[in-house]
Amino acid sequence: MGVFLVKRILSVIPILLLAVLILTGLIHLSPVDPAQAYLSAAHIQPTDELLAAKRAEFGLDQPFYQQYFDAVIRLAQLDFGTSYLSGKPVLEDVLLRLPSTVELAVTSLLLALVISIPLGFLAGIKKNGFFDHLSRAIAFIGASIPSFWLGYLFIFFFAVKLDWFPVGGTGSVMHLILPALTLAFPLIALYTRLLRGSVIEALNEPYVLFARTRGLKEGRILGKHVLRMAIPPMITGLGMNLGKLLTGTIIVETVFSWPGFGRYFIEAIFDRDMPVIQGYVFLAALVFIGSSLLVDIIQAVLDPRLAKKGGTV
């Protein structure tokens, strides 16, 4: 297990280096000149002298390999530079807004698990029953309706028409429910169908038939054997969507005026705040890579065969 963990952690390093390489290259391919964007954000009339000075300050006059090396050193220290608009370090702004995003993401994840696990389990053991049809309807809606449209529907019905929840903003649990449900709905649809399929597959396994022939109670078979074997694929799906969950808050935070990291990123795009954009892209890549690594570790703990065979059975 120790060798497996070391190999998986070391395999992350070249992926991060590649991510920094792509990020550095996108600066050169972008039609936005960072020096021009900085002067525009500061409301300074750009001149050739000022542009040249700022390009030198940002290191844009250096060869590409030197810019890449400098970017690796800075990002390794979580130094994303200074925001053009706020004049503060990007990391400081991120840490200020990240708790709101984490609060929304964690609430959405818990909500998705609380709903999808019992619904998917019941849909699997009662195939073609009421819960199975309900899970299909949720899966269809979750796959068909974009998050921003679903958020506006929730606002229209539950906030405007029924006046049960506030339209947007933050400050109380009531402000959290609608954006969390909007973010969780696609996950509920995915995890419900994923768990349903795993339960149906587990019910057809020989060990379940053997347990029944031994006279074990149905509740024990379903809980100890079927659910236990059906959960690992769901964990894989959960890990693969963890990064998407954190970065997917961009749309939901914008719709509900939630003061999180995603909304901060959207504002940076409109304001051409390049250090913020670069910092967000790198952190998003870090979250995706970290969640994938976490899933591999959890799966190896649950099934030691993965560690012996390098991560695949």
Side-chain angles (χ1 to χ4, degrees), residues 9-280:
I9 293 174
L10 291 178
S11 68
V12 168
I13 298 177
I15 300 176
L16 287 175
L17 292 176
L18 178 61
V20 178
L21 178 63
I22 295 174
L23 187 59
T24 307
L26 288 177
I27 298 176
H28 291 267
L29 296 176
S30 173
V32 179
D33 183 357
Q36 178 119 26
Y38 175 84
L39 295 176
S40 298
H43 303 288
I44 299 175
Q45 182 64 32
T47 63
D48 292 340
E49 293 78 10
L50 285 175
L51 288 173
K54 281 300 173 185
R55 290 192 185 104
E57 180 182 339
F58 297 154
L60 299 176
D61 58 341
Q62 299 293 325
F64 180 80
Y65 69 88
Q66 184 64 46
Q67 294 184 42
Y68 172 66
F69 179 76
D70 293 340
V72 170
I73 298 299
R74 287 190 295 101
L75 293 176
Q77 301 172 350
L78 294 181
D79 179 10
F80 305 116
T82 303
S83 170
Y84 294 165
L85 292 179
S86 67
K88 299 178 181 178
V90 173
L91 184 60
E92 182 179 329
D93 285 340
V94 168
L95 294 178
L96 183 64
R97 293 166 174 80
L98 195 58
S100 296
T101 297
V102 172
E103 178 186 11
L104 177 59
V106 170
T107 303
S108 303
L109 181 60
L110 293 177
L111 189 61
L113 292 178
V114 167
I115 297 176
S116 62
I117 289 179
L119 183 58
F121 183 68
L122 291 174
I125 63 176
K126 300 291 184 181
K127 188 178 179 181
N128 295 323
F130 169 76
F131 290 104
D132 193 13
H133 291 300
L134 178 61
S135 69
R136 292 178 184 176
I138 293 177
F140 176 77
I141 296 174
S144 304
I145 302 181
S147 296
F148 72 90
W149 182 244
L150 184 62
Y152 285 129
L153 288 177
F154 283 160
I155 291 175
F156 178 76
F157 285 108
F158 297 111
V160 177
K161 289 294 184 180
L162 300 177
D163 197 23
W164 288 355
F165 302 98
V167 174
T170 183
S172 67
V173 176
M174 300 302 289
H175 289 84
L176 181 61
I177 294 177
L178 286 185
L181 185 60
T182 302
L183 193 60
F185 203 87
L187 298 180
I188 294 173
L190 174 64
Y191 297 155
T192 298
R193 301 306 294 174
L194 185 61
L195 184 60
R196 172 192 178 273
S198 298
V199 169
I200 293 175
E201 183 179 351
L203 286 172
N204 295 322
E205 292 292 336
Y207 61 81
V208 174
L209 178 62
F210 179 71
R212 285 171 174 165
T213 57
R214 289 174 54 198
L216 296 180
K217 293 182 179 180
E218 189 68 13
R220 184 181 179 184
I221 295 175
L222 294 177
K224 184 177 180 180
H225 299 285
V226 175
L227 183 60
R228 182 181 177 183
M229 295 304 298
I231 285 293
M234 187 176 178
I235 294 177
T236 302
L238 177 64
M240 298 305 295
N241 284 275
L242 184 59
K244 184 179 178 181
L245 180 67
L246 288 174
T247 56
T249 58
I250 294 174
I251 298 175
V252 176
E253 289 179 1
T254 303
V255 171
F256 289 93
S257 299
W258 188 265
F261 186 30
R263 187 181 173 194
Y264 177 55
F265 174 62
I266 291 295
E267 294 172 351
I269 292 178
F270 284 109
D271 296 325
R272 298 183 178 182
D273 198 341
M274 295 299 292
V276 176
I277 297 174
Q278 295 172 36
Y280 181 89

